Amino acid sequence: AGSAGLAELVATSNALGLPVRLRVDDEVLASLPPAVAASTHRIVQESLTNARRHGHDVTAVDVVVDRVDGALQIVVHDDGRPTTRGRGEIGYGLVGMAERSAALGGTFTAGRDERGGWTVVATIPVEATG
């Protein structure tokens, strides 16, 4: 579930035609508690799945995983426009990501972005879970 796992998710998405860029600090991922690392992997995986299934005309997806103010922050942004169904509805994937974040004391938001597209942000306190 570390950086190799995230790189594999990105490679798979790219192979499926979803252009994804990953920015992650390997040292940050290496120091995460196992539950946070596993949740990070799952949140990125579900976000990429949603971009592929529900985004229309997506030309770029940016995945950024970094430590911000004592927490791990996962941001996945795509530049697509919503399809007529699915995007913006509260589905099981969004609920699952929110529950994973909350179970670790974190927060989760997802929605249309003012820049266009869709953004997922999960913030999980690292010290509190370690």
Side-chain angles (χ1 to χ4, degrees):
S3 61
L6 293 180
E8 185 177 314
L9 289 175
V10 168
T12 299
S13 291
N14 283 322
L16 292 171
L18 184 67
V20 181
R21 296 178 293 228
L22 174 65
R23 192 179 83 204
V24 61
D25 183 336
D26 290 340
E27 289 182 27
V28 168
L29 285 182
S31 66
L32 294 178
V36 176
S39 289
T40 299
H41 186 272
R42 188 67 184 106
I43 289 166
V44 170
Q45 181 180 43
E46 183 64 30
S47 296
L48 294 176
T49 298
N50 285 347
R52 194 170 45 253
R53 286 184 181 167
H54 304 298
H56 188 68
D57 296 333
V58 175
T59 63
V61 180
D62 290 302
V63 177
V64 179
V65 180
D66 204 357
R67 192 179 293 254
V68 177
D69 297 329
L72 182 75
Q73 187 175 68
I74 305 155
V75 179
V76 181
H77 172 77
D78 72 64
D79 66 353
R81 52 188 177 86
T83 59
T84 55
R85 69 181 265 291
R87 201 70 176 261
E89 296 174 7
I90 301 300
Y92 293 118
L94 293 176
V95 170
M97 288 188 281
E99 288 175 349
R100 282 180 176 278
S101 300
L104 295 168
T107 60
F108 176 83
T109 61
R112 291 191 176 132
D113 190 284
E114 60 205 29
R115 301 171 288 171
W118 184 266
T119 300
V120 166
V121 179
T123 304
I124 302 169
V126 177
E127 285 76 15
T129 59

